[in-house]
């Protein structure tokens, strides 16, 4: 699959500068570029966008960087978050923690379903 032009336009913003270097127009342009990307994104598009977060800054570019994070989370679920270079970037760490929390919630849901099924099997039936 090829990387769509909307993704390439967004990727051109990165790596993201600290938010103190952004003016209002740049923030609006960045937000518009995020909104222009159709979801879900592909694995190739994810790889094109990840360098946006290859930065030492924890700021969110006035909140707009969360849109990139949400786009990345629409990529195929193949555990890619766990392959990010931990401690290299606040945002990489955040993506990995969110993935780990997502997996934990799925495991809890599966355990609850399994427990209910076992309880049903073990329950006395008339």
């Amino acid at each position: 699959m090829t990387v769509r032009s909307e993704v390439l336009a967004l990727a051109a913003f990165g790596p993201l500068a600290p938010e103190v270097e952004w003016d209002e127009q740049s923030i609006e342009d960045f937000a518009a570029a995020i909104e222009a990307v159709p979801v879900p994104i592909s694995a190739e598009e994810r790889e094109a966008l990840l360098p946006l977060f290859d930065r030492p800054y924890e700021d969110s570019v006035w909140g707009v960087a969360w849109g990139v994070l949400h786009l990345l989370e629409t990529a195929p679920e193949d555990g890619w978050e766990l392959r990010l270079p931990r401690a290299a970037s606040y945002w990489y760490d955040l993506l990995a923690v969110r993935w780990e929390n997502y997996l934990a919630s799925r495991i809890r849901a599966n355990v609850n379903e399994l427990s209910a099924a076992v309880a049903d099997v073990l329950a006395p039936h008339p």
Side-chain angles (χ1 to χ4, degrees):
M1 175 177 209
T2 59
V3 177
R4 294 172 284 184
S5 61
E6 298 90 346
V7 173
L8 293 173
L10 177 57
F13 280 89
L16 301 176
E19 66 186 8
V20 296
E21 296 180 17
W22 291 72
D23 61 24
E24 188 174 339
Q25 185 60 54
S26 297
I27 294 168
E28 289 175 11
D29 293 345
F30 182 47
I34 293 168
E35 292 175 17
V37 175
V39 293
I41 63 171
S42 68
E44 293 85 2
E45 291 171 330
R46 171 190 67 217
E47 296 305 317
L49 294 177
L50 276 173
L52 289 168
F53 287 143
D54 191 11
R55 62 198 291 264
Y57 317 108
E58 292 185 23
D59 66 64
S60 64
V61 188
W62 304 105
V64 183
W66 283 96
V68 175
L69 182 134
H70 294 153
L71 279 176
L72 291 169
E73 290 178 333
T74 70
E77 293 179 7
D78 61 2
W80 62 270
E81 294 91 340
L82 302 178
R83 295 189 299 272
L84 293 171
R86 297 298 289 265
S89 161
Y90 167 81
W91 288 91
Y92 288 165
D93 286 350
L94 184 60
L95 280 161
V97 167
R98 288 169 63 94
W99 175 251
E100 291 164 358
N101 290 341
Y102 168 72
L103 289 179
S105 70
R106 286 184 59 187
I107 290 168
R108 280 191 302 275
N110 289 338
V111 166
N112 290 340
E113 287 177 25
L114 183 58
S115 295
V118 168
D120 185 48
V121 168
L122 297 177
H125 295 284

